[in-house]
């Protein structure tokens, strides 16, 4: 299944947990995925079904190893990052990116140097667009 870049639909919480484990640990068998969960662990059938759903959506693929399948992520974290950030800004900051940045400043999670880098990046993009 071919999807345009950055057009992945939102992941469910269960799907997101599996994707994070595949991104962090690389290709895994379903039983290995289950073993990575804290107790109480989900049932192997639950994880297997979710992995197959992710494969149907084009986020995961597999390789045959003997009579088993080892699954790996096809989609990358970057494919979801922009949309996830947009959802956070929309849901928690009433759509205001400046309110989100202000919160980062208030919580001292962003430095003045990082803010300057962001301003420089915005100005470079603006200049590039004007040059076209």
């Amino acid at each position: 299944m071919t999807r345009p870049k950055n057009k992945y639909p939102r992941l469910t919480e269960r799907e997101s947990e599996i994707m994070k484990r595949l991104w962090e640990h690389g290709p895994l068998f379903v039983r290995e995925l289950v073993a990575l969960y804290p107790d109480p662990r989900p049932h192997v059938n639950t994880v297997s079904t979710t992995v197959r759903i992710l494969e149907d959506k084009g986020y995961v693929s597999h390789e045959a190893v003997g009579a088993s399948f080892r699954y790996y992520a096809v989609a990358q974290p970057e494919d979801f990052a922009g949309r996830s950030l947009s959802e956070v800004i929309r849901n928690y900051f009433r759509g205001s990116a400046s309110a989100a940045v202000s919160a980062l400043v208030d919580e001292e999670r962003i430095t003045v140097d990082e803010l300057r880098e962001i301003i420089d990046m915005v100005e470079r993009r603006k200049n590039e667009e004007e040059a076209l």
Side-chain angles (χ1 to χ4, degrees):
M1 173 184 293
T2 305
R3 293 184 182 276
K5 189 172 181 160
N6 295 330
K7 296 296 182 187
Y8 291 102
R10 184 171 182 218
L11 294 171
T12 66
E13 186 175 336
R14 186 173 287 155
E15 291 170 344
S16 182
E17 289 172 358
I18 289 173
M19 292 303 296
K20 287 176 187 174
R21 284 171 174 83
L22 290 172
W23 289 325
E24 290 172 12
H25 300 280
L28 296 165
F29 295 99
V30 170
R31 292 198 183 278
E32 292 173 322
L33 276 165
V34 172
L36 293 172
Y37 281 85
D39 288 327
R41 291 185 173 107
H43 192 276
V44 67
N45 290 346
T46 302
V47 174
S48 180
T49 298
T50 306
V51 169
R52 285 195 307 272
I53 290 168
L54 286 165
E55 190 169 28
D56 288 344
K57 290 180 175 182
Y59 302 161
V60 168
S61 191
H62 71 270
E63 59 183 341
V65 179
S68 298
F69 293 131
R70 185 175 6 206
Y71 295 92
Y72 58 92
V74 173
Q76 299 303 308
E78 307 82 57
D79 297 327
F80 300 94
R83 193 204 63 245
S84 297
L85 180 58
S86 295
E87 287 178 9
V88 167
I89 290 171
R90 184 178 60 251
N91 293 333
Y92 298 100
F93 298 98
R94 297 180 185 205
S96 171
S98 63
V101 172
S102 293
L104 293 172
V105 170
D106 291 344
E107 295 178 14
E108 297 180 1
R109 295 192 178 249
I110 191 167
T111 67
V112 171
D113 289 338
E114 290 170 324
L115 286 169
R116 285 187 182 115
E117 288 177 28
I118 293 168
I119 291 168
D120 290 344
M121 179 184 64
V122 170
E123 288 176 345
R124 276 193 308 274
R125 285 189 181 163
K126 182 180 176 185
N127 291 338
E128 289 171 5
E129 289 174 6
E130 289 175 355
L132 294 176

